[in-house]
Amino acid sequence: MADQVAEISACHCDLCRGWTGAAQWGFEAPAPGVTVTGDVKTYRATSFSERAFCPNCGTHLWLRDDDGPYEFVPGLFEELRAVPLEREVYADRAFACVRLAGEHRRVTRDAYERDHPHVNTEVCDDQV
Ligand SMILES: [Zn+2]
C-alpha cells in the first residue's frame, strides 16, 4: 500500500451483489507488488476469476481475474478510510437500498461489458 493512493470502486453486478449482499467495494493492486502470507482459501468464482477469504474467520480478502491485479476489500485497510469512491460499476443495476451519492464516475452494465467482453454475470445455479 505504502505510497500509492488506491482508487476505490464499487460494483453492483450479480456476482458482487451475491458475494456481499448489495455492492462490492474494491481497489486494485498489481500482482507483482503483492505478497500473501498466512492462511488463505480461494474459491473459483467464475471461469475467469477467484475469490479469496480467511479460512479462520471467513473475512473476504480479494477478487482476482486470472492474471489480473488483486482487487482487495478496502475495509481491511484502515489507512483508506478517507479515500473517496472513484468509480461505480454496473451503476444502473444498483439496488435502491445502496444508491451511492457523491461525485464519482458511473459506468453502466452495457458500457462495462463492452470494455470487458470476457465478463458476464454468470451466477451460481444454487443461488435463488
Ligand atoms: Zn461485480
Side-chain angles (χ1 to χ4, degrees):
M1 291 292 312
D3 53 349
Q4 188 174 5
V5 176
E7 289 191 0
I8 297 176
S9 294
C11 184
H12 303 276
C13 79
D14 292 347
L15 284 169
C16 289
R17 288 196 321 256
W19 195 43
T20 63
Q24 179 264 334
W25 276 258
F27 70 93
E28 292 184 356
V34 174
T35 302
V36 176
T37 60
D39 293 337
V40 173
K41 271 292 222 204
T42 59
Y43 178 78
R44 197 83 189 144
T46 68
S47 59
F48 58 87
S49 67
E50 69 177 16
R51 302 176 196 173
F53 59 96
C54 172
N56 300 311
C57 69
T59 297
H60 297 167
L61 301 173
W62 67 75
L63 304 171
R64 185 175 180 209
D65 286 359
D66 296 339
D67 301 321
Y70 287 79
E71 188 170 345
F72 287 108
V73 177
L76 300 175
F77 299 88
E78 184 63 28
E79 62 268 36
L80 297 179
R81 182 176 289 275
V83 176
L85 182 63
E86 176 73 23
R87 181 179 73 146
E88 185 178 4
V89 179
Y90 286 75
D92 55 329
R93 304 278 295 154
F95 276 25
C97 62
V98 286
R99 296 268 158 72
L100 302 175
E103 296 300 316
H104 55 269
R105 281 189 297 137
R106 291 176 171 83
V107 181
T108 64
R109 176 184 181 169
D110 287 347
Y112 187 79
E113 291 183 359
R114 186 173 47 247
D115 293 342
H116 302 84
H118 68 286
V119 174
N120 61 31
T121 53
E122 54 187 86
V123 175
C124 176
D125 290 339
D126 296 338
Q127 294 181 358
V128 178

